[in-house]
């Protein structure tokens, strides 16, 4: 069965420090990968999505970046964190093109980032 | 561009009563619609989806949703609410179900089920 791992679960960082959140998927190949941010426990904002290794699409201009060095690995980074980067970050994957469950997203457990 | 609206920030219902969480959408073509549930400090869990076919879709935990094309709605329903249904519910629309592109979420509706 497929699983998604996301870490760290919680992170407290000072303003201006770097960030690296990691996400890996097991049990599937060629997944579509996504990073979402959820602020104040409500709506989700799509940050990045990837349909393949090295292919990253950015939805919102910001000081965050994403990379996909391997097929099932997705990394969210920042060189210098801002206070406004605080939030709950969610990694997700979906099947690419039909298959067992076309369209739906499978989410990790999230990473709560607090920037002080 | 596609969009999703959840007009209610919060829905309160007594245990045992039916519940409805509303969702309307806007897409340029045929919609692919989803409902997800989120418990505190957890990731989202998939509940159900409408791709094609029967307008009434049944999902996990006794939930169902009705696709209404004329009203561009996809309301989530359950005949008898449980206290354990209390959570944050998200409606979502996907713009390309086979190409694997982005899913857009509504703002979420918090459901409180009172014993």
């Amino acid at each position: 069965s497929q699983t998604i791992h996301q870490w760290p679960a919680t992170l407290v960082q000072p303003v201006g420090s770097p960030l690296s959140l990691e996400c890996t998927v097991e049990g599937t190949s060629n997944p579509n990968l996504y990073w979402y941010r959820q602020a104040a426990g409500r709506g989700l904002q799509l940050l990045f999505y990837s349909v393949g290794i090295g292919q990253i699409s950015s939805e919102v201009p910001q000081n965050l970046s994403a990379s996909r060095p391997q097929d099932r690995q997705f990394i969210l980074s920042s060189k210098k964190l801002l206070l406004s980067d605080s939030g709950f970050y969610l990694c997700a994957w979906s099947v690419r093109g039909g298959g067992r469950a076309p369209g739906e997203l499978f989410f990790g457990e999230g990473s709560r980032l607090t920037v002080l | 561009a596609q969009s999703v609206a959840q007009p209610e920030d919060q829905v309160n219902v007594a245990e045992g009563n039916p519940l409805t969480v509303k969702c309307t959408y806007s897409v340029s073509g045929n919609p692919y619609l989803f409902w997800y549930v989120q418990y505190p400090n957890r990731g989202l869990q998939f509940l159900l989806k409408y791709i094609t076919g029967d307008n009434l879709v049944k999902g996990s935990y006794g939930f169902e949703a009705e696709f209404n094309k004329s009203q561009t709605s996809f309301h989530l329903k359950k005949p008898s609410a449980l206290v354990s249904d209390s959570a944050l519910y998200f409606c979502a629309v996907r713009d390309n179900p086979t190409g694997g592109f982005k899913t857009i979420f509504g703002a979420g509706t918090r459901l409180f089920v009172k014993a």
Side-chain angles (χ1 to χ4, degrees):
Chain A
S1 62
Q2 299 85 5
T3 57
I4 177 169
H5 303 281
Q6 187 180 340
W7 72 95
T10 59
L11 196 60
V12 180
Q13 293 286 98
V15 170
S17 64
L19 170 73
S20 180
L21 300 178
E22 296 196 32
C23 173
T24 60
V25 180
E26 297 178 357
T28 188
S29 58
N30 294 325
N32 295 313
L33 296 172
Y34 309 81
W35 278 110
Y36 283 87
R37 178 169 59 200
Q38 185 178 26
R42 295 309 293 260
L44 277 72
Q45 178 185 38
L46 178 63
L47 301 176
F48 302 94
Y49 66 95
S50 171
V51 298
I53 296 174
Q55 301 178 59
I56 309 294
S57 295
S58 175
E59 289 297 300
V60 182
Q62 58 210 329
N63 70 321
L64 298 172
S65 62
S67 61
R68 185 170 178 172
Q70 301 179 47
D71 180 47
R72 290 170 290 175
Q73 183 184 23
F74 206 25
I75 299 171
L76 183 69
S77 303
S78 174
K79 293 181 179 179
K80 291 185 178 182
L81 284 168
L82 306 173
L83 287 174
S84 58
D85 291 325
S86 292
F88 192 50
Y89 289 82
L90 292 159
C91 181
W93 73 274
S94 69
V95 173
R96 186 190 311 173
R100 179 179 62 83
E104 69 201 62
L105 296 173
F106 301 93
F107 284 85
E109 289 300 305
S111 297
R112 185 164 301 283
L113 171 66
T114 303
V115 183
L116 302 175
Chain B
Q2 70 276 9
S3 64
V4 178
Q6 293 181 245
E8 303 154 315
D9 285 343
Q10 183 172 311
V11 170
N12 298 309
V13 63
E15 188 175 33
N17 283 1
L19 70 88
T20 298
V21 183
K22 296 180 180 178
C23 172
T24 59
Y25 65 89
S26 175
V27 296
S28 56
N30 292 322
Y32 282 48
L33 297 159
F34 306 83
W35 276 100
Y36 293 83
V37 61
Q38 185 182 31
Y39 297 99
N41 297 309
R42 303 294 299 275
L44 277 69
Q45 298 176 33
F46 168 75
L47 277 180
L48 51 81
K49 64 185 175 186
Y50 172 81
I51 303 297
T52 187
D54 194 345
N55 289 344
L56 184 64
V57 178
K58 294 187 182 297
S60 305
Y61 312 119
F63 283 95
E64 58 188 30
E66 186 167 11
F67 169 62
N68 187 317
K69 188 172 183 177
S70 63
Q71 297 185 7
T72 62
S73 67
F74 190 56
H75 301 332
L76 181 70
K77 300 180 180 182
K78 187 173 182 179
S80 179
L82 300 172
V83 172
S84 58
D85 292 330
S86 299
L88 185 57
Y89 290 81
F90 291 96
C91 183
V93 63
R94 191 174 180 122
D95 72 341
N96 185 334
T98 57
F101 295 98
K102 55 188 178 182
T103 298
I104 302 301
F105 286 82
T109 298
R110 198 168 297 280
L111 174 66
F112 287 101
V113 181
K114 186 176 181 180

